[in-house]
Amino acid sequence: MFKIFLFSILFSFSVLSKPTLVIGSKVFTESYILAEIIAQIAENTGEVKVARRFGLGATGITYKSLETDEISLYPEYTGTIAQSILKNDGLKDWANIKSSLLEKGFDISDNLGFNNTYALAMKKVRAIEKSVKKISDLVPFDQFEFGFTHEFLKRADGFEKLKIRYELQPKSVIGIEHSLAYEALVSDKIDVMEVYSTDAKISKYNLRVLEDDLSFFPLYEAVLFYKKDFKKKFPKTYSALNDNLVGKINNDLMIKLNSLVENEGKSFEEAAKFFLGEKITDKKFDIPLSKITKLSVEHLKLVSISLFFSIVIGLILGIIAFKYSAFGQLILGITGVFQTIPSLALLCFLIPFFGIGNPPAYMALFLYGLLPIVRNTYLGLSEVPNNLKEISHLMGMSSFERLTHLEFPLAFKAILSGIQTSAVINVGTATLAAFIGAGGLGTLINTGLALNDTKIILTGAVPAAILAVLVHLMFQIIDNMNFFRKD
């Protein structure tokens, strides 16, 4: 009995002492699948504890997370590394990219086995009708509606350079989320979109991939991206990934894995098991109620903690702005600036200071919540009638007594309205926190967007909307209670 007890203690200690391997992914199907394959191989190896930080958003977020050691590795593509990370158009092959990365303290694996390059696609029926087979055939059709992701519109190997190379002059180009672009294409809202060559939806929606006849797009060989000390820190895991993943996925297999999720409704976990040769079930991708509840609690935690500090600091700043007019406009101006910064941009900006996960999300939501509270506190206190202030002064009330017994009670409704506005805004903005691994209901929305699954999107969006309504009602009840009423 004692031996069993001792073994249990030693086993628990060994598990707790394992280093943690944090695996990241971007927010599209293939990245989720590859990251899950990495996670399952690592777990099967037993050298590390595995933490999943999936759906981290665009390249800038994943790279910054790797740079700051918030994640240990993630699947990436050589073309993206050359263009968006190293920012060097001259890097065309794997060896030169690897050499340049080593100089910066990073490293990549050999090719996983497939090339997922960019391409342009049209509905096959539309392409046949207009006799469009290659990208240069688009030149005469300046009336076509082009729909590209925001990242593709800004990339060095994206639309701006593509337009110059092919001398395209479309009159209409819109930015649209990748999975939504398929729906727009199928419903004839747009005529041309960018795709990845391993997209399962190309066959699903019967699209024609246009030939890159001027060889504009570079190779996008899939690789594992990590810091160069990864091999030394996790030797067994590195060997397992090298033996079981590197060079093992060709284009057809990757299309099949994507299709399992996007066309057959399997989960990322099931697709990874299929690759690893394990038996998969007929069960469709499903979100259990327990997970929705867990994510709702995470969401509420993000909002409540950030709102608490927004209220405390916002009230103090609002009072200072009111009491000291010289600082008033400065304080309002600074808090107003935070509202002008796009939410996702602010989250990305905070990663170098706070990493990924909850800390930058708390800070971003705190900053976004300040303006309504500061502004309404300042305005509410400023609108207290001067004659009442004079009477309180004649009664010998101190400045603090006047604030707590006269000004604040009279300004309460305005202040509460500011807090209510801040709370409702934060409930919605908190969904973006999932892009930096903070969890919450945005996790479901991101997954649904990646899969173009309206049901999953609504599974995250509806509870978030309900939380916003409940928060609004809560503050209405508080307002009706009127704590400062004198009976």
Side-chain angles (χ1 to χ4, degrees):
M1 190 71 181
F2 176 74
K3 289 182 178 180
I4 295 175
F5 175 74
L6 182 61
F7 174 79
S8 300
I9 295 295
L10 291 174
F11 177 76
S12 300
F13 179 77
S14 67
V15 171
L16 291 172
S17 63
K18 287 181 180 180
T20 299
L21 181 73
V22 186
I23 301 165
S25 88
K26 296 183 184 179
V27 63
F28 59 94
T29 302
E30 187 167 290
S31 190
Y32 277 109
I33 293 172
L34 292 173
E36 182 59 34
I37 291 172
I38 296 167
Q40 291 190 23
I41 291 174
E43 287 172 335
N44 293 338
T45 304
E47 180 186 32
V48 296
K49 293 183 292 183
V50 172
R52 292 165 171 80
R53 287 290 180 87
F54 295 173
L56 290 179
T59 303
I61 296 176
T62 48
Y63 173 60
K64 184 61 68 175
S65 300
L66 184 65
E67 188 178 43
T68 57
D69 293 317
E70 294 293 333
I71 60 176
S72 308
L73 81 163
Y74 74 96
E76 190 53 279
Y77 304 89
T78 53
T80 299
I81 294 172
Q83 300 288 337
S84 299
I85 295 174
L86 296 174
K87 303 185 186 304
N88 187 338
D89 294 340
L91 295 174
K92 300 295 184 181
D93 62 84
W94 175 89
N96 288 333
I97 292 170
K98 182 181 179 73
S99 177
S100 297
L101 284 173
L102 287 172
E103 293 176 4
K104 297 172 69 70
F106 298 93
D107 199 359
I108 53 175
S109 70
D110 287 341
N111 183 5
L112 301 188
F114 67 95
N115 173 34
N116 186 7
T117 189
Y118 275 111
L120 298 190
M122 296 178 63
K123 284 176 66 175
K124 186 173 289 186
V125 173
R126 178 79 160 150
I128 292 172
E129 176 192 337
K130 299 296 183 180
S131 299
V132 178
K133 296 181 179 179
K134 52 187 185 294
I135 297 177
S136 57
D137 290 338
L138 293 171
V139 174
F141 299 102
D142 59 358
Q143 77 276 16
F144 277 0
E145 297 276 346
F146 285 62
F148 300 129
T149 61
H150 296 283
E151 182 174 0
F152 184 73
L153 289 171
K154 297 174 183 177
R155 290 173 67 99
D157 57 345
F159 180 65
E160 288 304 315
K161 292 280 183 68
L162 177 75
K163 181 172 65 173
I164 294 171
R165 174 74 68 86
Y166 280 96
E167 298 182 352
L168 300 174
Q169 295 181 322
K171 292 180 180 177
S172 176
V173 180
I174 63 169
I176 186 170
E177 203 277 333
H178 185 64
S179 60
L180 299 179
Y182 281 102
E183 297 299 321
L185 190 68
V186 171
S187 59
D188 296 319
K189 298 294 192 302
I190 59 175
D191 298 290
V192 183
M193 66 175 287
E194 100 269 15
V195 297
Y196 312 123
S197 57
T198 56
D199 277 0
K201 292 173 182 172
I202 293 173
S203 59
K204 178 182 178 181
Y205 293 122
N206 195 26
L207 307 184
R208 169 176 284 181
V209 176
L210 306 184
E211 178 191 347
D212 182 13
D213 50 312
L214 297 184
S215 302
F216 171 78
F217 293 114
L219 289 175
Y220 282 80
E221 297 175 325
V223 294
L224 304 181
F225 188 25
Y226 42 77
K227 283 192 171 178
K228 65 181 182 181
D229 62 353
F230 178 79
K231 303 175 189 178
K232 292 182 179 179
K233 290 174 67 175
F234 311 106
K236 292 182 180 178
T237 303
Y238 171 78
S239 296
L241 291 171
N242 199 58
D243 294 341
N244 297 290
L245 179 55
V246 172
K248 296 295 192 296
I249 306 179
N250 59 29
N251 274 51
D252 289 339
L253 178 54
M254 194 65 246
I255 292 172
K256 171 62 177 177
L257 295 174
N258 287 331
S259 182
L260 282 174
V261 175
E262 295 184 355
N263 299 339
E264 299 181 34
K266 304 297 184 185
S267 67
F268 305 126
E269 293 82 2
E270 292 286 290
K273 288 179 180 178
F274 176 85
F275 168 76
L276 294 172
E278 299 178 20
K279 184 178 180 180
I280 63 174
T281 67
D282 293 330
K283 185 178 180 182
K284 299 293 185 181
F285 194 105
D286 189 33
I287 309 295
L289 181 60
S290 59
K291 183 171 183 178
I292 298 173
T293 303
K294 176 177 176 291
L295 293 175
S296 297
V297 171
E298 288 179 2
H299 201 90
L300 198 56
K301 181 180 176 183
L302 285 171
V303 172
S304 57
I305 291 177
S306 59
L307 182 64
F308 172 79
F309 286 101
S310 293
I311 292 171
V312 173
I313 303 300
L315 288 176
I316 293 172
L317 291 177
I319 292 170
I320 292 174
F322 165 67
K323 290 291 185 181
Y324 305 96
S325 56
F327 296 105
Q329 295 306 311
L330 177 63
I331 291 173
L332 289 171
I334 292 174
T335 54
V337 166
F338 295 128
Q339 289 284 344
T340 67
I341 302 173
S343 308
L344 195 55
L346 182 59
L347 288 166
C348 294
F349 174 77
L350 293 171
I351 288 176
F353 303 99
F354 299 97
I356 60 174
N358 287 354
Y362 287 140
M363 179 57 69
L365 292 173
F366 157 71
L367 292 174
Y368 269 111
L370 280 178
L371 180 62
I373 298 172
V374 173
R375 181 188 59 208
N376 279 38
T377 301
Y378 171 79
L379 292 175
L381 294 173
S382 299
E383 290 174 357
V384 174
N386 287 327
N387 62 329
L388 294 180
K389 295 178 184 179
E390 292 173 0
I391 292 172
S392 65
H393 179 72
L394 293 174
M395 293 174 61
M397 295 176 68
S398 66
S399 178
F400 180 76
E401 288 174 331
R402 185 165 61 249
L403 175 68
T404 56
H405 290 81
L406 174 67
E407 295 166 339
F408 196 86
L410 291 176
F412 178 73
K413 289 182 75 69
I415 294 170
L416 187 65
S417 176
I419 296 173
Q420 180 180 358
T421 300
S422 178
V424 173
I425 289 173
N426 273 14
V427 170
T429 306
T431 57
L432 295 176
F435 279 110
I436 58 168
L441 293 166
T443 303
L444 297 176
I445 296 173
N446 286 355
T447 302
L449 287 172
L451 299 176
N452 196 22
D453 190 317
T454 304
K455 180 181 177 182
I456 297 176
I457 294 173
L458 291 175
T459 302
V462 170
I466 292 173
L467 279 179
V469 171
L470 291 175
V471 166
H472 174 78
L473 291 176
M474 179 185 73
F475 280 101
Q476 286 296 110
I477 292 171
I478 294 173
D479 186 21
N480 292 335
M481 291 174 67
N482 197 351
F483 289 109
F484 293 96
R485 180 179 61 207
K486 301 296 182 181
D487 294 325

